[in-house]
Amino acid sequence: MADDAPVFTVSQAAELAGMHPQTLRQYDRLGLVVARRTRGRGRRYSLRDVARLRQVQELAQGEGINLAGIKRILDLEAHVSMLEERLEDALVQLQQTGRVFAAGTSGDVVVVPRGRRVRRGEIHVEETVVERAEGGRRTRASGALVLWRPHRGERG
């Protein structure tokens, strides 16, 4: 059985996680552990969900963290996992393509062929910028990623 197969009912998942079924329903409403639904709208949990329920319980009871804090921790952990996957993909792509990135004094990032040195003032960039309104102010975001490794003897 796959870890993400939704096979357990509320009462089964609650028993596996060592908690009351109503606690599970509350966690679902709060978005801490979201069950998948059957056609009849019944909740179904996976082994991965049960592990997450145990983690929520440990953070709440063992560490004394409130549910809002737990939600934030779980969201940040998910974000870190996503970033780690993206970094791994970028590293694989770097190894396959041999691309190197350089940054100009203005912060612009460009792809430079491996083995080519870039001189000051030589970087010209076409940048894709996404602008969006957040809380009444406009922000700019670029999709650039810079991979940097120090030369031997330098400190990072």
Side-chain angles (χ1 to χ4, degrees):
M1 171 174 56
D3 285 351
D4 59 349
V7 294
F8 301 110
T9 62
V10 171
S11 58
Q12 291 169 328
E15 185 176 335
L16 288 170
M19 60 182 59
H20 194 278
Q22 271 309 111
T23 305
L24 232 93
R25 291 181 184 98
Q26 180 185 11
Y27 290 171
D28 192 8
R29 281 190 297 275
L30 294 172
L32 292 172
V33 179
V34 180
R36 284 178 246 164
R37 300 292 183 142
T38 65
R39 286 187 179 160
R41 302 291 296 147
R43 292 176 171 95
R44 292 291 184 269
Y45 294 90
S46 67
L47 285 173
R48 185 173 293 146
D49 294 331
V50 171
R52 187 170 168 120
L53 288 166
R54 289 181 181 144
Q55 182 182 16
V56 169
Q57 187 176 31
E58 173 58 29
L59 289 170
Q61 294 176 359
E63 302 294 330
I65 300 171
N66 66 28
L67 295 179
I70 292 170
K71 175 117 176 76
R72 183 75 175 135
I73 289 168
L74 295 175
D75 289 347
L76 289 171
E77 285 179 347
H79 187 70
V80 166
S81 293
M82 183 268 306
L83 290 173
E84 286 173 339
E85 288 175 17
R86 286 181 60 190
L87 177 59
E88 182 63 32
D89 291 344
L91 290 172
V92 167
Q93 184 179 7
L94 176 65
Q95 289 172 347
Q96 291 172 347
T97 62
R99 293 184 181 186
V100 176
F101 299 88
T105 56
S106 65
D108 296 331
V109 177
V110 296
V111 177
V112 179
R114 188 176 285 265
R116 179 171 176 260
R117 291 189 173 257
V118 178
R119 293 192 170 95
R120 189 177 297 213
E122 184 174 65
I123 297 176
H124 303 285
V125 177
E126 289 182 32
E127 182 180 18
T128 303
V129 175
V130 178
E131 290 193 21
R132 60 182 172 265
E134 291 181 4
R137 65 173 199 245
R138 298 186 69 79
T139 60
R140 293 169 50 107
S142 170
L145 169 67
V146 177
L147 300 175
W148 175 75
R149 291 194 182 115
H151 293 287
R152 279 179 273 155
E154 289 184 19
R155 294 185 184 183

